[in-house]
Amino acid sequence: MDIGIDKIGVYVPKNYIDIVELARARNVDPNKFTIGIGQDKQAVPQPYEDAVTMAANSADSILTAEDKQALGLLIVGTESSIDESKSSAAFLMDLLDLPEDIRSFEIKQACYGATAGLQTAVDFVSQNPDKKALVIASDIARYGIKTPGEVTQGAGSVAMIVSQNPRVLKLTRKSVYMTRNVGDFWRPTFSKTAFARGKFSNEVYVDFFNTLWKKYQEKYSATIDDFSTLLFHIPYTKMGTKALRTLEGKIPDTKYAELTEHYQASIKFSREVGNLYTGSLYLGLLSYLTNAAQSNEELLLFSYGSGAVGELYSGEIQAGFDTIIDQNSILKMLDNRQKMSIADYEKMYQIEYQNGTIVDPQAVNSKFYLSEIKENERLYKKLK
Ligand code: CAA
């Protein structure tokens, strides 16, 4: 049975900051941020947006009434969840008007969460072929104002429906994975911002990619000629570039040139949005599908979550995928965003809603939003 991604949609907040302006405000040469880090814009969420609201927005962009009735599993991958007990998935039941006979939960393993969700969903559909699964990656990446990681922030969500006979990406079920206890990135429960050993994280990431690519070749007698495209976890686009560059000189120049050209198409959206943490690989997939992909292409996807878990797996783009993805709406969503000044971004960054907050819907620019915090419980609404 063929199983994989049948639909994929995205949500990004409606405000962004310009990376050149951020560089100037931090007295940094803009080329460091645009070339050295590889970013152009960074999504800035409103205080009434969080992993739940963004997940609702991305899922709402792809779910039909028919999909909802067929759902048997809902998984939210996030490392910026809003409750230590209740999963983001439970909040989505009302917001998305989902039927009750669904198994739902949240998965956390840094930026690997969505891939864990996707692979779990594939297993679920193989056992329940008449059912679909909804996997959502949703995160706000925060390192703090004036930190080295500030330029690698971002926010957004990617939602995927997994089913049999997928119309976007068939997963070949060829996959290799690994876990090591590594201290490259962590966020203790008391902190809204992450702690990272950024350069060390880069080294571990590249090492995981190389180790897994070797394992994949051995396990499946594969060569680079089996693939036209490599997609990477891209919290900032330079990170994937570093892994890709390790292949230079080890594979034919023409193949390296092809992979590099396709990689550029896969990072277009990330350059505009920034870090989606666990959604980053899937924003890259969507960027590739929107900007360059061809039917029947074989892709290799590298997922990495600090801490650290890595997985390298393959998929095949399905004929007609371009009729399933709402490319115009996605491009419009990115184009229609409003730029925010660095001063306004800094001000908004400090806002943290407390118990008793009631949000005025007139001031909201996202369909799903945090409406109130009552008895320390976060309550959500959909704009009428
Ligand atoms: N023009 C062009 N390039 C320039 C430049 C200039 N004027 N000045 C510097 N550069 C280049 C540097 O040469 C460097 O390039 P290379 O990496 O190719 O050597 C690049 O710009 C960055 O320069 P630095 O290393 O000096 O920058 P930095 O000290 O500010 O650190 C960083 C950069 C490590 C990425 C830092 O921003 C950081 O710590 N970010 C947060 C950590 C992070 O995102 N880690 C990823 C974790 S994995 C993940 O996704 C997390 C997860 O699972 C949860």
Side-chain angles (χ1 to χ4, degrees):
M1 189 197 330
D2 289 348
I3 302 176
I5 300 171
D6 187 56
K7 287 187 186 175
I8 178 166
V10 62
Y11 171 79
V12 296
K14 303 218 168 33
N15 295 99
Y16 69 89
I17 51 170
D18 183 285
I19 287 296
V20 170
E21 290 178 13
L22 179 68
R24 297 217 166 99
R26 302 291 176 254
N27 289 320
V28 169
D29 177 355
N31 286 341
K32 173 174 173 184
F33 284 3
T34 56
I35 301 167
I37 299 291
Q39 294 301 130
D40 295 319
K41 293 176 184 168
Q42 181 176 112
V44 180
Q46 294 285 332
Y48 51 76
E49 295 194 278
D50 61 24
V52 171
T53 65
M54 295 191 302
N57 277 308
S58 67
D60 184 63
S61 75
I62 55 170
L63 276 176
T64 61
E66 198 190 324
D67 293 327
K68 291 179 190 181
Q69 285 314 313
L71 282 184
L73 178 66
L74 164 60
I75 304 176
V76 178
T78 182
E79 57 183 288
S80 47
S81 67
I82 48 87
D83 196 289
E84 298 295 342
S85 168
K86 183 170 171 179
S87 83
S88 311
F91 292 100
L92 298 179
M93 300 302 288
D94 299 341
L95 290 175
L96 297 173
D97 202 13
L98 301 179
E100 271 182 16
D101 54 342
I102 289 178
R103 181 184 290 157
S104 73
F105 54 92
E106 183 176 293
I107 289 189
K108 175 185 72 179
Q109 177 30 63
C111 300
Y112 175 71
T115 300
L118 188 62
Q119 299 295 3
T120 304
V122 170
D123 290 344
F124 173 82
V125 172
S126 75
Q127 296 299 313
N128 304 274
D130 56 327
K131 291 284 186 192
K132 296 181 182 185
L134 176 60
V135 178
I136 311 174
S138 190
D139 270 312
I140 296 177
R142 282 169 85 102
Y143 291 88
I145 303 276
K146 298 181 183 163
T147 62
E150 183 180 26
V151 63
T152 68
Q153 297 179 145
S157 175
V158 176
M160 297 172 274
I161 295 176
V162 176
S163 72
Q164 66 164 313
N165 302 322
R167 291 171 292 171
V168 174
L169 187 75
K170 178 178 108 182
L171 298 194
T172 59
R173 315 298 295 273
K174 291 181 183 173
S175 166
V176 290
Y177 35 81
M178 63 188 285
T179 301
R180 271 187 214 150
N181 180 11
V182 177
D184 63 331
F185 175 108
W186 60 102
R187 185 172 69 80
T189 47
F190 67 80
S191 179
K192 285 262 177 265
T193 50
F195 296 78
R197 298 188 176 104
K199 285 171 193 163
F200 176 52
S201 191
N202 263 315
E203 286 167 23
V204 180
Y205 171 95
V206 169
D207 182 31
F208 268 44
F209 170 67
N210 288 323
T211 305
L212 289 171
W213 174 224
K214 191 164 172 284
K215 272 191 192 195
Y216 191 98
Q217 291 173 87
E218 285 164 7
K219 185 170 176 187
Y220 299 111
S221 303
T223 74
I224 199 67
D225 290 329
D226 297 338
F227 303 100
S228 58
T229 303
L230 293 186
L231 299 179
F232 292 89
H233 166 52
I234 32 177
Y236 56 98
T237 69
K238 182 65 166 292
M239 201 155 172
T241 309
K242 282 174 189 275
L244 180 59
R245 279 185 185 160
T246 61
L247 297 180
E248 193 172 12
K250 294 189 193 134
I251 60 175
D253 289 351
T254 47
K255 177 53 78 175
Y256 184 70
E258 180 189 31
L259 295 177
T260 302
E261 187 188 326
H262 290 189
Y263 177 68
Q264 292 306 321
S266 79
I267 63 174
K268 278 190 178 172
F269 289 174
S270 293
R271 288 194 71 101
E272 294 280 305
V273 178
N275 199 346
L276 263 62
Y277 279 161
T278 191
S280 300
L281 170 62
Y282 300 97
L283 185 67
L285 170 63
L286 199 50
S287 181
Y288 188 65
L289 292 169
T290 304
N291 292 302
Q294 304 288 322
S295 296
N296 305 320
E297 264 191 73
E298 302 283 343
L299 310 182
L300 196 57
L301 299 96
F302 174 55
S303 180
Y304 176 81
S306 290
V309 182
E311 180 156 349
L312 189 67
Y313 67 97
S314 54
E316 188 183 300
I317 298 179
Q318 300 299 284
F321 73 93
D322 47 338
T323 62
I324 305 299
I325 295 167
D326 192 351
Q327 296 170 333
N328 283 339
S329 300
I330 294 169
L331 294 171
K332 227 164 81 200
M333 179 169 61
L334 290 172
D335 281 353
N336 290 346
R337 294 176 300 160
Q338 297 285 316
K339 189 169 83 170
M340 190 174 247
S341 71
I342 300 302
D344 285 348
Y345 143 77
E346 287 177 356
K347 249 184 258 156
M348 200 163 82
Y349 208 93
Q350 310 306 334
I351 300 173
E352 203 179 306
Y353 288 158
Q354 303 297 328
N355 191 31
T357 297
I358 297 178
V359 175
D360 174 8
Q362 304 286 351
V364 164
N365 70 11
S366 133
K367 184 168 176 181
F368 298 93
Y369 65 102
L370 172 76
S371 60
E372 190 175 352
I373 306 181
K374 193 174 168 186
E375 295 174 46
N376 286 307
E377 187 183 10
R378 291 169 83 88
L379 303 173
Y380 296 91
K381 277 195 178 148
K382 179 175 167 180
L383 278 184
K384 298 273 183 287

